[in-house]
Amino acid sequence: MRASCVIFVALLCFSLGSAKLFDDELRELTEFLRLQMRCGYPARGVPILAPAQIAYQEIALRSENFGCNGNFTELILEGLDGYEFSKLEWNNVLNTIKFDMNFPKISLKSSNYKLNLLARLFGADFSLWGDGVWSLELINFRAYGSFVIRPKSATSGVYVKSWKVNWELEEAKSQSTGFMNSRLYTKFINDLIKEYLDILINDNPTEVSQFMEELIVPPMNLVLENVAWYEITAIILGLVDGILPVEAIC
């Protein structure tokens, strides 16, 4: 209890100073998170993310001009723990983290997928199906921007707000098999997927940013709600040595 009070008072003193960078402490935190992704955080509903594996996943999407239903078997997502930071800053006055990170390669693979698609293109309906191996890679998937961390109170938890993050993609590689049981259709669809992802991510920054915020921020806040403000800031400021384990907690 006494140590907690000392840390809390020290944080109050730090907050009165000018903004500083705490790259070393932040990077230590990101390295711990990289390790922890191999174990997940079951107590807060966070699954293993390096790699993320799903034995079976059904798909059912429907919009005015597009419909897709089917399933993926033995779905594996790899590369989430391969992130690299070129910028990582903490402003202890505004409680803001600014960052620029890159995922060199994220791959999504399935030993077998079965999909039926129906879409309207240029005023005409067309349909196709696929049954084969799914293989998709995102090359140099970049995220950069900032977000704010706010305390609910000094001891009850923190949450993320003011999420302002942009996303860019250098290249997508699609090598899935089995579209219409035709090599010609398969090549056409793989090329279409690559072009679609490039246009979707790089030419629609607002929509992509909003989608990724809805995907990332709610589960992040769920994990952070039991982390006290003075605890997380003590880690970032490096006020307590050895607070982070050097191995993943499984």
Side-chain angles (χ1 to χ4, degrees), residues 61-67 118-120 125:
L61 304 173
R62 178 68 63 181
S63 67
E64 183 179 353
N65 295 313
F66 178 79
L118 177 64
R120 174 171 289 272
D125 292 333

Side-chain angles (χ1 to χ4, degrees), residues 56-223:
Y56 181 83
Q57 179 66 53
E58 292 190 355
I59 300 294
L61 304 173
R62 178 68 63 181
S63 67
E64 183 179 353
N65 295 313
F66 178 79
C68 174
N69 64 80
N71 60 76
F72 291 86
T73 302
E74 296 178 355
L75 192 63
I76 300 177
L77 178 64
E78 297 180 297
L80 293 180
D81 61 335
Y83 51 76
E84 301 170 346
F85 283 93
S86 59
K87 178 180 181 180
L88 190 57
E89 301 175 0
W90 165 257
N91 185 309
N92 64 299
V93 174
L94 301 177
N95 302 331
T96 301
I97 289 180
K98 295 181 179 180
F99 69 96
D100 191 333
M101 66 185 299
N102 183 60
F103 297 90
K105 183 173 73 171
I106 296 177
S107 66
L108 181 64
K109 298 181 179 180
S110 171
S111 62
N112 180 245
Y113 78 92
K114 300 179 187 297
L115 292 177
N116 292 291
L117 298 94
L118 177 64
R120 174 171 289 272
L121 186 64
F122 305 123
D125 292 333
F126 75 93
S127 63
L128 61 89
W129 55 268
D131 185 346
V133 175
W134 184 269
S135 178
L136 176 66
E137 293 181 352
L138 303 181
I139 307 299
N140 289 327
F141 191 33
R142 179 190 176 204
Y144 61 97
S146 66
F147 60 89
V148 175
I149 296 179
R150 284 280 187 266
K152 293 182 177 180
S153 71
T155 58
S156 67
V158 300
Y159 65 98
V160 170
K161 63 172 295 185
S162 299
W163 179 268
K164 299 176 181 178
V165 180
N166 297 310
W167 300 81
E168 294 179 355
L169 177 65
E170 179 181 303
E171 182 185 7
K173 295 182 179 180
S174 181
Q175 297 178 314
S176 301
T177 66
F179 289 106
M180 304 294 286
N181 198 28
S182 165
R183 293 179 61 182
L184 182 61
Y185 267 105
T186 296
K187 183 181 186 307
F188 171 74
I189 296 301
N190 279 324
D191 290 342
L192 186 63
I193 290 173
K194 292 189 293 184
E195 293 297 325
Y196 175 76
L197 288 174
D198 178 38
I199 295 173
L200 175 67
I201 295 174
N202 296 322
D203 294 352
N204 298 276
T206 302
E207 291 80 0
V208 172
S209 179
Q210 181 178 348
F211 172 80
M212 296 301 288
E213 179 179 0
E214 293 172 355
L215 180 68
I216 295 173
V217 174
M220 183 185 297
N221 283 336
L222 185 63
V223 173

